């Protein structure tokens, strides 16, 4: 695995390093094709070669979702600018037509969706739409059994992420689908945190929209993947003939190529995650032993937690310990899961939704391990946290 220049990088959910197979393929690709990145819409042989690359990448992405790409498949892939773009396009495609008709559509989502989804609530409500948020358990699992009672005749979309990027807790999308299907309501699922960590079977999930972001699995950033039914009419802010008119503008050929290569490694990455979970468990045990006041989030018996994520809270402090910043000063990259706006740290909306108070939420950390993580790095983090916490306790 390539080493990362930052001393200890334990924030793989923010962005994973390029997968070695992607590095190698990109190198060969650039050596072979450079400087010609032909336009896949061109009719000449170079254009056709570029088109083939795009098609091949789509096929590899489909395979990573457990289906054979063929014309009988009901799904299409549209490449967009980011995972955020994919989520927001899915939402706008579902809700905009009803808003345009002057209806008051209703949208059900979980309160732990990524900010790229949450951001659409303000847009939707300002246009007259109504939103309901599903309850979640204290472990962070969406209470699927409550969904039925939230459904109204005007419900036009249900959005539930397949795995949460902060806690690593997964949702049982098939159970949600059973309910949405009965009521003929489209389902949108953000699979960005799940891809490459646990199996995704597109046909079993059977959503209207499924979103992926390749730089979380060793591809390049600046590309989002929207998997959608062929019949879906996508909301489209960029008019042009590309991608069947679904999103104008020349395709991001290198990003798409790298995404296809990363997709080919998905099964290996899932297997690796099983090994990484041993390392995660070892770190968890070490921390529990060395810092007894620590709280491990999402490790209850009834939830499935992604194998590479460890989510911690140091409860009961009367101030923000700025744990992620302190770790950064020690050369360790982890995430507080909080957005920093206008200089003030904001607690994670996910943790607040779990019922955590503001200070405990601020004093929480997400650690996400990767294919290249070694025990040394875990120990470095554990030792730093032990020091930080013992110092905080004596203040
Ligand atoms: C679960 C989830 N959804 C959506 C996004 C947004 O993806 P992107 O950064 O490609 O816009 C992220 C990024 O961290 C994510 O973790």
């Amino acid at each position: 695995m390539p080493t990362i220049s930052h001393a200890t990088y334990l924030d793989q959910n923010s962005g994973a390093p390029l997968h070695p197979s992607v590095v190698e393929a990109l190198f060969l690709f650039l050596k072979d094709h450079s400087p010609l990145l032909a336009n896949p819409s061109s009719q000449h042989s170079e254009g056709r070669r570029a088109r083939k690359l795009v098609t091949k990448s789509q096929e590899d992405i489909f395979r990573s979702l457990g289906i054979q790409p063929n014309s009988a498949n009901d799904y299409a892939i549209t490449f967009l600018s980011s995972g955020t773009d994919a989520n927001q396009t899915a939402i706008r495609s579902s809700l905009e037509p009803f808003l345009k008709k002057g209806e008051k559509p209703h949208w059900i989502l979980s309160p732990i969706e990524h900010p790229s989804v949450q951001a659409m609530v303000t847009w939707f409500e300002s246009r007259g739409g109504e939103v309901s948020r599903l309850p979640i358990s204290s472990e962070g699992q969406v209470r699927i059994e409550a969904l039925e009672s939230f459904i109204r005749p005007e419900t036009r979309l249900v959005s539930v992420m397949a795995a949460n990027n902060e806690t690593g807790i997964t949702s049982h999308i098939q159970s949600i689908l059973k309910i949405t299907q009965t009521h003929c309501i489209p389902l949108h699922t953000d699979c960005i945190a799940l891809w490459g960590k646990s199996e995704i079977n597109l046909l079993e999930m059977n959503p209207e929209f499924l979103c992926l972001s390749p730089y979380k699995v060793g591809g390049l950033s600046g590309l989002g993947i929207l998997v959608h039914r062929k019949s879906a009419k996508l909301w489209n802010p960029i008019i042009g003939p590309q991608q069947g008119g679904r999103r104008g503008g020349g395709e991001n050929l290198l990003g798409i190529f790298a995404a296809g290569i990363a997709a080919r490694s998905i099964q290996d990455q899932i297997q690796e995650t099983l090994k990484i979970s041993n390392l995660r468990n070892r770190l968890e045990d070490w921390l529990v032993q060395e810092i007894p006041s620590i709280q491990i989030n999402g490790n209850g018996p009834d939830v499935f937690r992604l194998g590479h994520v460890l989510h911690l809270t140091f409860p009961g402090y009367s101030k923000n310990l700025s744990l992620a910043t302190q770790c950064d000063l020690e050369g360790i990259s982890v995430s507080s899961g909080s957005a920093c706006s206008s200089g003030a740290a904001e607690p994670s909306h996910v943790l607040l939704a779990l019922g955590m108070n503001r200070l405990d939420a601020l004093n929480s950390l997400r650690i996400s391990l990767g294919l290249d993580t070694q025990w040394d790095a875990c120990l470095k983090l554990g030792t730093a946290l032990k020091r930080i916490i013992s110092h905080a306790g004596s203040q």
Side-chain angles (χ1 to χ4, degrees), residues 63-363:
R63 283 195 194 91
S64 79
L65 302 176
I67 62 169
Q68 286 307 318
N70 57 42
S71 50
N73 161 12
D74 195 21
Y75 283 98
I77 286 175
T78 301
F79 292 110
L80 301 173
S81 69
S82 58
T84 299
D85 192 352
N87 273 332
Q88 299 196 357
T89 299
I91 295 162
R92 288 188 81 137
S93 305
S94 308
L95 300 174
E96 184 88 52
F98 297 99
L99 292 169
K100 272 202 181 131
K101 276 195 253 168
E103 291 181 15
K104 247 183 182 284
H106 175 232
W107 173 28
I108 302 175
L109 71 160
S110 91
I112 57 170
E113 295 300 301
H114 186 265
S116 57
V117 172
Q118 301 285 346
M120 295 305 283
V121 169
T122 316
W123 161 81
F124 183 57
E125 287 179 333
S126 73
R127 300 271 308 270
E130 285 185 14
V131 158
S132 298
R133 289 186 176 80
L134 290 166
I136 55 166
S137 72
S138 58
E139 292 280 18
Q141 201 169 43
V142 177
R143 289 204 178 282
I144 296 167
E145 67 281 6
L147 174 58
E148 188 90 46
S149 66
F150 281 82
I151 292 175
R152 307 180 192 164
E154 59 282 7
T155 306
R156 303 300 182 194
L157 181 67
V158 172
S159 296
V160 178
M161 67 199 318
N164 183 267
N165 50 303
E166 290 187 35
T167 61
I169 301 298
T170 57
S171 297
H172 202 260
I173 298 298
Q174 278 99 311
S175 306
I176 297 172
L177 178 83
K178 269 192 199 149
I179 302 170
T180 54
Q181 257 181 345
T182 311
H183 294 271
C184 299
I185 302 167
L187 173 66
H188 153 231
T189 183
D190 173 342
C191 285
I192 289 172
L194 192 68
W195 200 30
K197 308 298 184 295
S198 190
E199 296 288 344
I200 299 178
N201 188 310
L202 178 61
L203 295 186
E204 280 174 15
M205 277 192 182
N206 206 10
E208 191 74 8
F209 296 102
L210 184 151
C211 303
L212 304 170
S213 183
Y215 76 111
K216 310 291 183 176
V217 293
L220 294 173
S221 54
L223 186 78
I225 300 169
L226 183 59
V227 183
H228 56 91
R229 289 205 191 283
K230 284 180 182 151
S231 57
K233 176 131 184 44
L234 295 194
W235 173 80
N236 179 11
I238 318 269
I239 311 304
Q242 291 86 356
Q243 304 201 64
R246 299 193 297 273
R247 180 61 68 98
E251 287 94 333
N252 171 356
L253 196 59
L254 265 194
I256 292 171
F257 172 68
I261 302 294
R264 279 189 230 168
S265 73
I266 288 297
Q267 276 310 319
D268 289 346
Q269 294 199 38
I270 293 171
Q271 293 310 313
E272 287 290 332
T273 304
L274 293 174
K275 287 190 214 150
I276 295 170
S277 69
N278 293 330
L279 199 60
R280 187 272 313 271
N281 295 345
R282 187 174 166 197
L283 173 60
E284 182 174 316
D285 292 345
W286 190 96
L287 287 167
V288 168
Q289 176 133 20
E290 299 291 329
I291 315 175
S293 63
I294 203 168
Q295 177 184 309
I296 309 289
N297 300 315
N299 65 342
D302 299 327
V303 289
F304 180 74
R305 181 174 49 145
L306 297 179
H308 70 299
V309 177
L310 181 55
H311 200 277
L312 314 169
T313 299
F314 299 90
Y317 287 92
S318 55
K319 62 172 188 179
N320 180 358
L321 302 177
S322 305
L323 294 168
T325 309
Q326 293 211 57
C327 286
D328 191 37
L329 291 174
E330 303 220 15
I332 305 165
S333 301
V334 287
S335 164
S336 62
S338 61
C340 218
S341 55
S342 54
E346 290 296 330
S348 144
H349 70 285
V350 173
L351 302 181
L352 295 182
L354 290 178
M356 217 179 255
N357 69 51
R358 277 181 69 84
L359 271 168
D360 285 358
L362 283 169
N363 291 328

